[in-house]
């Protein structure tokens, strides 16, 4: 993983990162997951999120190292999660759709060989000039 893939943030960017990270930690681990799992709401995510938010407000440049390691973790996770999600989409959506289309004989791209056809060219229909008067 190259460090040049991680952008350097200015003071404002680091402040936004700290505010978002603190809110995310408090919201997900302090509220969302305990409510979903039926647990009591813990104190540690709120304290950790509050410390990160305070750090972002008081000394945002101090979050530079935290941002760098957070982005390295994100780049590492991207190498595993993206192929898994793409494979799941392919095998759960496109493969069954293609199999169903083959079973029912659908050929939307008209790729079947037609011995009687003199050409496979489909003549285009020119658009009338009025369609460009108000293109948007």
């Amino acid at each position: 993983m190259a460090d040049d893939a991680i952008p350097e943030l200015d003071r404002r960017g680091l402040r936004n990162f700290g505010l978002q990270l603190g809110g995310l930690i408090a919201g997900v681990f302090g509220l969302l997951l305990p409510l979903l799992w039926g647990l009591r709401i813990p104190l540690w995510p709120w304290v950790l999120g509050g410390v990160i938010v305070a750090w972002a407000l008081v000394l945002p440049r101090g979050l530079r190292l935290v941002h760098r390691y957070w982005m390295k973790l994100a780049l590492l996770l991207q190498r595993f999660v993206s192929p898994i999600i793409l494979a799941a989409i392919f095998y759960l959506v496109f493969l069954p759709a293609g199999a169903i289309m083959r079973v029912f004989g659908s050929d939307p791209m008209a790729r079947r060989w037609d011995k009687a056809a003199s050409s496979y060219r489909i003549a285009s229909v020119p658009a009338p000039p009025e369609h460009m008067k108000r293109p948007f």
Side-chain angles (χ1 to χ4, degrees):
M1 236 171 320
D3 280 346
D4 58 346
I6 301 172
E8 285 293 325
L9 295 181
D10 60 350
R11 184 179 173 95
R12 181 179 180 188
L14 288 169
R15 179 177 293 120
N16 287 338
F17 166 73
L19 294 174
Q20 291 171 6
L21 180 63
L24 183 76
I25 289 172
V28 171
F29 295 106
L31 194 60
L32 182 67
L33 292 179
L35 290 177
L36 286 176
W37 292 340
L39 304 172
R40 65 180 192 86
I41 296 177
L43 181 63
W44 71 267
W46 296 98
V47 172
L48 181 61
V51 166
I52 294 174
V53 166
W55 192 0
L57 292 173
V58 174
L59 187 65
R61 293 205 187 267
L63 288 171
R64 182 174 282 138
L65 192 61
V66 175
H67 175 262
R68 179 160 302 281
Y69 283 117
W70 185 262
M71 289 295 113
K72 283 185 179 186
L73 175 67
L75 288 173
L76 179 68
L77 289 175
Q78 170 200 359
R79 299 185 90 184
F80 297 105
V81 173
S82 293
I84 291 170
I85 290 174
L86 289 174
I89 290 172
F90 177 78
Y91 288 112
L92 296 175
V93 176
F94 293 113
L95 187 72
I100 291 170
M101 289 173 69
R102 281 183 186 228
V103 166
F104 289 110
S106 175
D107 187 19
M109 291 177 54
R111 294 177 296 171
R112 286 196 187 101
W113 186 263
D114 186 8
K115 292 180 183 177
S118 62
S119 172
Y120 287 99
R121 182 180 181 277
I122 300 172
S124 63
V125 178
E130 293 83 32
H131 89 283
M132 288 303 291
K133 289 195 176 174
R134 297 193 61 165
F136 301 108

